[in-house]
Structure formats: structure tokens, C-alpha cells
Amino acid sequence: MAVDHDRLFKELITTFFEEFLLLFFPHVHEHIDFQHVAFLSEELFTDVTAGEKYRVDLLVETKLKGEDGLIIVHIENQSYVQPLFPERMFIYFSRLFEKYRKRMLPIAVFSYDYLRNEPSSFTLQFPFFDVLQFRFLTVELRKQNWRDYIRHDNPIAAALLSKMGYTESERVELKKQFLRMIVRMELDEAKQRLLIGFFETYVKLSDEEEQQLRNEVNEMETKEKEQVLELIISYEKKALEKGLKEGVERGLQQGLQQEKRQIAKKMLAKGYDVQTIHELTELSVEEIERLK
């Protein structure tokens, strides 16, 4: 199933909008009255010349501190390359301004998996006169060093580690630091689930990497180790239960039994005890023992 990147980013930034501005644009954050924040309906524009439709990802209506005037923040999660992107940002901006007639702050979030140099302005000019200079704020995630953000107790920072600049050899350390951030922030389960789901969409460790992660977690200080391991086990169990439920609903009984055995083998390799595996998979204790 294809990943809906726009939906993922929209849900993340909508849930943690204030934290998003605080992390990347603190100079903007200090001017916003977050007691007055409303997320407006999506806007769909048609490019008549190209025959394509484009959706503005997120519109946020809020107030500036000490002023009655409203601003609209336009966040464009660009997960794929768009030609002439600054021009399109200007078109989105101008059409929104035509509709709302309010001051607007445009922000573009670039989430490419590779480095690019993205412009942050669109200009119209003659040799003798500058007609227009339109600028927008940008976040280029891949250019951010993930290690610069691991001390932030900010849920946006934790989730977006997965889209920042890291090497393949850092993947295990990346997830370990992500889990440490989640434990430190003591978020409710729904927010934890959102952050973990976002992170694991973009950073999927192999079985060998997961085992290395567990080994490194076991070397942490006792209290932190217990909290991180509890988090790992909790979400592995939820994923397992969800997978088993979906398998039953699909009626794939023969395939389901084989899937249960494969899951049991992985759990054995990760050190789960036989009784826990029996309770979660409903395989008999004897069959689980034979899988060792």
C-alpha cells in the first residue's frame, strides 16, 4: 500500500503545530497567540495551463499577540520534486490572499530523501524595475543534522529525526535516541502512537538492526533501560495483535498459522519467554518449544 506522505505530515504538524513553530521558527512562535488557532478546510486549486490540480496541505488561522489582525500559515509538505516550485507557492499564496484578504505567512517543508538546494523566493523583474519579490520560509529536513535535535524535548523533533540527515550506519543509534526522546517526554498513548508510526514509516530497521538496538538498550542505565524496553515491547505487542487480527479478518487461516510461527520465531530470537508468545499467538507451548 502506498504511503500517503501528505496525510502523515499534515497529521503530525496539526497535532504539534505550536511545537513545530517553536522548533524551526522561534522568531515566529513568539508573536503567535496560540489560544486562537483554527485549522481551515483544505484548498484545491486547478492549474488551467497544466491541466493539474494541487492541494494546499495545511492552512492555519491564528492571531498575532496584541493585534486583531489574522494571519494564515500555509505549510507545503513537498515530498516529491515539483518543477517551478517557488512560482507555484506564489500562485497558492495569491489565490489564498484573494479569498481571505488577510496577512499570510507561507512555509514550505521539504522532505526529500536526498540533498537539494531549494530556492525560497519567486521574483518578477526587468533590467530597469523589480516588479515582485515573493519570499517564503523553508525547512529543508535532509540538511538538518539529526544529532543537533536529540536534546530537544519536542515531539516534532523526535518524529522528524527520521527525515533528517543521517547515514546508514547511524540507523540503530537514530532509533535508540528517538525512543529515549519519547520516554523523556512522557506523552499520552495517542501521541506516542502518532510519533512512533511516523518515525517507523521512514526508518524500518532489519531484524539484525533491531537485535543490535536491544543489545544497546540493555547497556543503558537501569531506569532508562527499563522504560525504553517497555516501550519497545508494548508497541511490538500492539503490532503483533493488530497483524493477527487483520489476518483472522481476512480469513487466511492456513497462512495465518504460518505467520504465527514466523512471528513466534522472531519473538524467540528477541528473548521473549514461551508463555508470553503462547498468549499472544495462541500457538501451543509444545509447538513454540519445537521452534527453538
Side-chain angles (χ1 to χ4, degrees), residues 207 211 214 232-241 244 259-283 288 291-292:
D207 289 345
Q211 187 56 54
R214 280 176 172 271
I232 292 173
I233 293 171
S234 171
Y235 279 88
E236 283 182 347
K237 286 182 176 180
K238 285 183 174 65
L240 172 62
E241 291 167 352
L244 293 178
E259 182 180 353
K260 285 182 178 182
R261 296 186 191 98
Q262 292 300 321
I263 292 171
K265 287 181 180 179
K266 290 181 180 180
M267 294 180 73
L268 286 168
K270 291 182 177 181
Y272 283 86
D273 62 83
V274 171
Q275 187 59 36
T276 298
I277 299 172
H278 164 66
E279 291 172 0
L280 289 173
T281 65
E282 298 181 352
L283 292 173
I288 296 169
L291 294 174
K292 287 185 176 181

Short mmCIF file of all heavy atoms in Angstrom, two decimals, residues 207 211 214 232-241 244 259-283 288 291-292:
data_model
loop_
_atom_site.label_atom_id
_atom_site.label_comp_id
_atom_site.label_asym_id
_atom_site.label_seq_id
_atom_site.Cartn_x
_atom_site.Cartn_y
_atom_site.Cartn_z
N ASP A 207 15.86 -7.08 11.04
CA ASP A 207 15.85 -7.90 12.26
C ASP A 207 17.20 -7.81 12.96
O ASP A 207 17.27 -7.75 14.20
CB ASP A 207 15.54 -9.36 11.91
CG ASP A 207 14.09 -9.55 11.49
OD1 ASP A 207 13.28 -8.64 11.74
OD2 ASP A 207 13.78 -10.60 10.89
N GLN A 211 17.91 -6.30 16.74
CA GLN A 211 18.63 -7.02 17.79
C GLN A 211 19.78 -6.18 18.33
O GLN A 211 20.02 -6.14 19.54
CB GLN A 211 19.16 -8.35 17.25
CG GLN A 211 19.77 -9.25 18.32
CD GLN A 211 18.79 -9.55 19.45
OE1 GLN A 211 17.68 -10.02 19.21
NE2 GLN A 211 19.18 -9.26 20.68
N ARG A 214 18.35 -3.65 20.68
CA ARG A 214 18.04 -4.22 22.00
C ARG A 214 19.31 -4.39 22.83
O ARG A 214 19.33 -4.14 24.04
CB ARG A 214 17.34 -5.57 21.86
CG ARG A 214 15.85 -5.46 21.56
CD ARG A 214 15.25 -6.83 21.33
NE ARG A 214 13.81 -6.73 21.23
CZ ARG A 214 12.97 -6.80 22.27
NH1 ARG A 214 13.44 -6.98 23.48
NH2 ARG A 214 11.66 -6.71 22.09
N ILE A 232 9.41 -0.48 23.69
CA ILE A 232 9.63 -1.35 22.53
C ILE A 232 8.68 -2.55 22.58
O ILE A 232 7.98 -2.87 21.60
CB ILE A 232 11.09 -1.85 22.48
CG1 ILE A 232 12.04 -0.69 22.19
CG2 ILE A 232 11.25 -2.95 21.43
CD1 ILE A 232 13.51 -1.06 22.29
N ILE A 233 8.63 -3.22 23.73
CA ILE A 233 7.80 -4.42 23.87
C ILE A 233 6.33 -4.08 23.71
O ILE A 233 5.57 -4.79 23.04
CB ILE A 233 8.07 -5.09 25.23
CG1 ILE A 233 9.50 -5.66 25.27
CG2 ILE A 233 7.04 -6.19 25.50
CD1 ILE A 233 9.93 -6.13 26.63
N SER A 234 5.90 -2.96 24.29
CA SER A 234 4.50 -2.56 24.21
C SER A 234 4.06 -2.39 22.76
O SER A 234 3.00 -2.90 22.36
CB SER A 234 4.30 -1.24 24.97
OG SER A 234 3.01 -0.72 24.75
N TYR A 235 4.86 -1.71 21.96
CA TYR A 235 4.45 -1.45 20.58
C TYR A 235 4.66 -2.67 19.69
O TYR A 235 3.94 -2.85 18.70
CB TYR A 235 5.15 -0.20 20.05
CG TYR A 235 4.43 1.03 20.52
CD1 TYR A 235 4.75 1.62 21.74
CD2 TYR A 235 3.37 1.55 19.81
CE1 TYR A 235 4.05 2.72 22.21
CE2 TYR A 235 2.66 2.65 20.26
CZ TYR A 235 3.00 3.22 21.46
OH TYR A 235 2.28 4.30 21.93
N GLU A 236 5.60 -3.54 20.03
CA GLU A 236 5.73 -4.79 19.29
C GLU A 236 4.49 -5.66 19.52
O GLU A 236 3.98 -6.29 18.60
CB GLU A 236 7.00 -5.54 19.71
CG GLU A 236 8.27 -4.95 19.12
CD GLU A 236 9.49 -5.74 19.52
OE1 GLU A 236 9.40 -6.57 20.45
OE2 GLU A 236 10.55 -5.53 18.91
N LYS A 237 4.02 -5.68 20.76
CA LYS A 237 2.83 -6.47 21.08
C LYS A 237 1.61 -5.91 20.34
O LYS A 237 0.80 -6.67 19.80
CB LYS A 237 2.57 -6.47 22.59
CG LYS A 237 3.54 -7.35 23.38
CD LYS A 237 3.19 -7.33 24.85
CE LYS A 237 4.09 -8.27 25.65
NZ LYS A 237 3.77 -8.25 27.09
N LYS A 238 1.47 -4.59 20.33
CA LYS A 238 0.32 -3.98 19.64
C LYS A 238 0.37 -4.28 18.15
O LYS A 238 -0.65 -4.58 17.52
CB LYS A 238 0.32 -2.47 19.87
CG LYS A 238 -0.12 -2.05 21.27
CD LYS A 238 -0.16 -0.54 21.38
CE LYS A 238 -0.75 -0.11 22.72
NZ LYS A 238 0.09 -0.50 23.85
N ALA A 239 1.57 -4.22 17.58
CA ALA A 239 1.71 -4.51 16.14
C ALA A 239 1.38 -5.97 15.88
O ALA A 239 0.74 -6.31 14.87
CB ALA A 239 3.12 -4.19 15.68
N LEU A 240 1.82 -6.84 16.77
CA LEU A 240 1.54 -8.26 16.61
C LEU A 240 0.05 -8.52 16.70
O LEU A 240 -0.53 -9.23 15.85
CB LEU A 240 2.27 -9.05 17.70
CG LEU A 240 1.95 -10.54 17.81
CD1 LEU A 240 2.32 -11.27 16.52
CD2 LEU A 240 2.66 -11.15 19.00
N GLU A 241 -0.61 -7.96 17.73
CA GLU A 241 -2.04 -8.18 17.90
C GLU A 241 -2.83 -7.65 16.70
O GLU A 241 -3.78 -8.27 16.24
CB GLU A 241 -2.50 -7.51 19.19
CG GLU A 241 -1.97 -8.21 20.44
CD GLU A 241 -2.14 -7.39 21.69
OE1 GLU A 241 -2.52 -6.21 21.58
OE2 GLU A 241 -1.87 -7.91 22.79
N LEU A 244 -2.32 -10.06 13.75
CA LEU A 244 -3.09 -11.30 13.91
C LEU A 244 -4.58 -11.07 13.67
O LEU A 244 -5.24 -11.87 13.01
CB LEU A 244 -2.86 -11.86 15.32
CG LEU A 244 -1.44 -12.36 15.63
CD1 LEU A 244 -1.36 -12.84 17.07
CD2 LEU A 244 -1.04 -13.48 14.68
N GLU A 259 2.13 -17.59 9.58
CA GLU A 259 2.54 -16.25 10.02
C GLU A 259 2.79 -16.25 11.53
O GLU A 259 3.75 -15.66 12.01
CB GLU A 259 1.46 -15.24 9.66
CG GLU A 259 1.83 -13.80 10.02
CD GLU A 259 0.74 -12.82 9.64
OE1 GLU A 259 -0.24 -13.24 8.99
OE2 GLU A 259 0.88 -11.64 10.01
N LYS A 260 1.93 -16.94 12.27
CA LYS A 260 2.12 -17.04 13.71
C LYS A 260 3.45 -17.70 14.05
O LYS A 260 4.17 -17.27 14.96
CB LYS A 260 0.98 -17.83 14.34
CG LYS A 260 -0.34 -17.09 14.44
CD LYS A 260 -1.38 -17.97 15.10
CE LYS A 260 -2.70 -17.25 15.28
NZ LYS A 260 -3.70 -18.08 15.97
N ARG A 261 3.78 -18.75 13.31
CA ARG A 261 5.05 -19.44 13.56
C ARG A 261 6.24 -18.52 13.29
O ARG A 261 7.22 -18.51 14.04
CB ARG A 261 5.14 -20.71 12.72
CG ARG A 261 4.10 -21.76 13.06
CD ARG A 261 4.32 -23.06 12.30
NE ARG A 261 3.20 -23.96 12.43
CZ ARG A 261 2.23 -24.09 11.53
NH1 ARG A 261 2.29 -23.39 10.40
NH2 ARG A 261 1.22 -24.91 11.73
N GLN A 262 6.14 -17.76 12.19
CA GLN A 262 7.23 -16.84 11.85
C GLN A 262 7.39 -15.76 12.92
O GLN A 262 8.51 -15.41 13.32
CB GLN A 262 6.97 -16.19 10.49
CG GLN A 262 7.05 -17.14 9.31
CD GLN A 262 8.42 -17.79 9.18
OE1 GLN A 262 9.45 -17.16 9.40
NE2 GLN A 262 8.43 -19.08 8.85
N ILE A 263 6.26 -15.26 13.40
CA ILE A 263 6.30 -14.25 14.45
C ILE A 263 6.87 -14.84 15.73
O ILE A 263 7.68 -14.22 16.42
CB ILE A 263 4.90 -13.67 14.70
CG1 ILE A 263 4.45 -12.85 13.48
CG2 ILE A 263 4.86 -12.82 15.97
CD1 ILE A 263 3.01 -12.40 13.52
N ALA A 264 6.46 -16.07 16.04
CA ALA A 264 6.98 -16.74 17.24
C ALA A 264 8.48 -16.91 17.17
O ALA A 264 9.20 -16.72 18.16
CB ALA A 264 6.28 -18.09 17.42
N LYS A 265 8.99 -17.28 16.00
CA LYS A 265 10.44 -17.43 15.83
C LYS A 265 11.16 -16.11 16.10
O LYS A 265 12.21 -16.08 16.76
CB LYS A 265 10.76 -17.92 14.42
CG LYS A 265 10.42 -19.38 14.17
CD LYS A 265 10.78 -19.77 12.74
CE LYS A 265 10.44 -21.23 12.45
NZ LYS A 265 10.78 -21.61 11.05
N LYS A 266 10.61 -15.01 15.56
CA LYS A 266 11.22 -13.70 15.77
C LYS A 266 11.19 -13.31 17.24
O LYS A 266 12.15 -12.75 17.77
CB LYS A 266 10.51 -12.64 14.93
CG LYS A 266 10.76 -12.78 13.43
CD LYS A 266 10.05 -11.68 12.65
CE LYS A 266 10.30 -11.82 11.15
NZ LYS A 266 9.61 -10.75 10.38
N MET A 267 10.07 -13.63 17.91
CA MET A 267 9.97 -13.30 19.33
C MET A 267 10.94 -14.11 20.16
O MET A 267 11.55 -13.60 21.11
CB MET A 267 8.53 -13.51 19.80
CG MET A 267 7.52 -12.55 19.15
SD MET A 267 5.83 -12.80 19.72
CE MET A 267 5.93 -12.11 21.38
N LEU A 268 11.11 -15.37 19.79
CA LEU A 268 12.11 -16.21 20.48
C LEU A 268 13.50 -15.62 20.31
O LEU A 268 14.30 -15.57 21.26
CB LEU A 268 12.07 -17.64 19.95
CG LEU A 268 10.88 -18.50 20.39
CD1 LEU A 268 10.82 -19.78 19.55
CD2 LEU A 268 10.99 -18.85 21.88
N ALA A 269 13.80 -15.18 19.10
CA ALA A 269 15.12 -14.62 18.82
C ALA A 269 15.36 -13.35 19.60
O ALA A 269 16.51 -13.00 19.93
CB ALA A 269 15.28 -14.35 17.32
N LYS A 270 14.27 -12.64 19.92
CA LYS A 270 14.40 -11.39 20.67
C LYS A 270 14.32 -11.60 22.17
O LYS A 270 14.33 -10.65 22.94
CB LYS A 270 13.31 -10.40 20.23
CG LYS A 270 13.53 -9.88 18.80
CD LYS A 270 12.46 -8.87 18.42
CE LYS A 270 12.73 -8.31 17.03
NZ LYS A 270 11.72 -7.30 16.62
N GLY A 271 14.19 -12.86 22.60
CA GLY A 271 14.26 -13.15 24.02
C GLY A 271 12.94 -13.22 24.76
O GLY A 271 12.91 -13.26 25.99
N TYR A 272 11.81 -13.22 24.04
CA TYR A 272 10.51 -13.36 24.71
C TYR A 272 10.39 -14.76 25.32
O TYR A 272 10.88 -15.74 24.76
CB TYR A 272 9.38 -13.16 23.72
CG TYR A 272 9.11 -11.72 23.34
CD1 TYR A 272 9.81 -11.11 22.30
CD2 TYR A 272 8.15 -10.97 24.01
CE1 TYR A 272 9.57 -9.79 21.95
CE2 TYR A 272 7.89 -9.65 23.66
CZ TYR A 272 8.61 -9.07 22.63
OH TYR A 272 8.37 -7.77 22.28
N ASP A 273 9.72 -14.84 26.46
CA ASP A 273 9.52 -16.15 27.08
C ASP A 273 8.37 -16.88 26.39
O ASP A 273 7.51 -16.28 25.74
CB ASP A 273 9.25 -16.01 28.58
CG ASP A 273 7.98 -15.22 28.86
OD1 ASP A 273 6.89 -15.82 28.81
OD2 ASP A 273 8.08 -14.00 29.10
N VAL A 274 8.37 -18.21 26.53
CA VAL A 274 7.42 -19.06 25.81
C VAL A 274 5.98 -18.74 26.19
O VAL A 274 5.09 -18.73 25.34
CB VAL A 274 7.74 -20.55 26.09
CG1 VAL A 274 6.64 -21.46 25.54
CG2 VAL A 274 9.08 -20.93 25.49
N GLN A 275 5.72 -18.46 27.47
CA GLN A 275 4.36 -18.20 27.91
C GLN A 275 3.80 -16.93 27.26
O GLN A 275 2.64 -16.89 26.84
CB GLN A 275 4.32 -18.07 29.44
CG GLN A 275 2.91 -17.95 30.02
CD GLN A 275 2.03 -19.16 29.68
OE1 GLN A 275 2.51 -20.30 29.62
NE2 GLN A 275 0.74 -18.92 29.45
N THR A 276 4.62 -15.88 27.16
CA THR A 276 4.18 -14.64 26.53
C THR A 276 3.85 -14.87 25.06
O THR A 276 2.84 -14.39 24.54
CB THR A 276 5.27 -13.55 26.65
OG1 THR A 276 5.49 -13.27 28.04
CG2 THR A 276 4.84 -12.26 25.94
N ILE A 277 4.71 -15.63 24.39
CA ILE A 277 4.49 -15.95 22.97
C ILE A 277 3.20 -16.75 22.81
O ILE A 277 2.40 -16.51 21.89
CB ILE A 277 5.69 -16.72 22.39
CG1 ILE A 277 6.96 -15.85 22.48
CG2 ILE A 277 5.43 -17.10 20.93
CD1 ILE A 277 8.22 -16.60 22.11
N HIS A 278 2.97 -17.69 23.70
CA HIS A 278 1.75 -18.50 23.67
C HIS A 278 0.50 -17.63 23.82
O HIS A 278 -0.48 -17.79 23.08
CB HIS A 278 1.81 -19.54 24.80
CG HIS A 278 0.48 -20.17 25.12
ND1 HIS A 278 -0.19 -20.98 24.24
CD2 HIS A 278 -0.31 -20.06 26.23
CE1 HIS A 278 -1.34 -21.36 24.78
NE2 HIS A 278 -1.43 -20.81 25.99
N GLU A 279 0.55 -16.65 24.75
CA GLU A 279 -0.61 -15.80 24.99
C GLU A 279 -0.91 -14.91 23.79
O GLU A 279 -2.07 -14.65 23.46
CB GLU A 279 -0.36 -14.94 26.23
CG GLU A 279 -0.34 -15.75 27.53
CD GLU A 279 0.08 -14.92 28.71
OE1 GLU A 279 0.36 -13.71 28.52
OE2 GLU A 279 0.15 -15.46 29.83
N LEU A 280 0.13 -14.46 23.11
CA LEU A 280 -0.07 -13.52 22.01
C LEU A 280 -0.40 -14.22 20.70
O LEU A 280 -1.16 -13.71 19.89
CB LEU A 280 1.17 -12.64 21.83
CG LEU A 280 1.40 -11.59 22.93
CD1 LEU A 280 2.74 -10.91 22.73
CD2 LEU A 280 0.28 -10.57 22.93
N THR A 281 0.20 -15.38 20.46
CA THR A 281 0.00 -16.05 19.17
C THR A 281 -1.05 -17.15 19.22
O THR A 281 -1.54 -17.60 18.18
CB THR A 281 1.32 -16.67 18.68
OG1 THR A 281 1.73 -17.71 19.60
CG2 THR A 281 2.42 -15.62 18.57
N GLU A 282 -1.35 -17.64 20.45
CA GLU A 282 -2.27 -18.76 20.65
C GLU A 282 -1.70 -20.06 20.09
O GLU A 282 -2.44 -21.05 19.92
CB GLU A 282 -3.64 -18.47 20.03
CG GLU A 282 -4.32 -17.26 20.68
CD GLU A 282 -5.69 -16.98 20.09
OE1 GLU A 282 -6.04 -17.62 19.07
OE2 GLU A 282 -6.40 -16.12 20.63
N LEU A 283 -0.41 -20.08 19.77
CA LEU A 283 0.24 -21.35 19.45
C LEU A 283 0.42 -22.13 20.75
O LEU A 283 0.57 -21.55 21.82
CB LEU A 283 1.61 -21.11 18.79
CG LEU A 283 1.62 -20.47 17.40
CD1 LEU A 283 3.05 -20.15 16.99
CD2 LEU A 283 0.96 -21.37 16.38
N ILE A 288 5.67 -24.04 20.22
CA ILE A 288 6.65 -22.96 20.38
C ILE A 288 8.00 -23.55 20.79
O ILE A 288 9.06 -23.12 20.28
CB ILE A 288 6.17 -21.94 21.43
CG1 ILE A 288 4.89 -21.25 20.93
CG2 ILE A 288 7.26 -20.89 21.70
CD1 ILE A 288 4.20 -20.43 21.99
N LEU A 291 9.96 -24.77 17.95
CA LEU A 291 10.51 -23.73 17.06
C LEU A 291 11.85 -23.20 17.53
O LEU A 291 12.52 -22.47 16.81
CB LEU A 291 9.53 -22.55 16.97
CG LEU A 291 8.18 -22.85 16.28
CD1 LEU A 291 7.27 -21.64 16.40
CD2 LEU A 291 8.39 -23.21 14.82
N LYS A 292 12.24 -23.57 18.74
CA LYS A 292 13.52 -23.05 19.28
C LYS A 292 14.70 -23.60 18.45
O LYS A 292 14.69 -24.70 17.98
CB LYS A 292 13.68 -23.48 20.76
CG LYS A 292 12.76 -22.70 21.69
CD LYS A 292 13.06 -23.07 23.11
CE LYS A 292 12.24 -22.27 24.11
NZ LYS A 292 12.54 -22.61 25.52
#
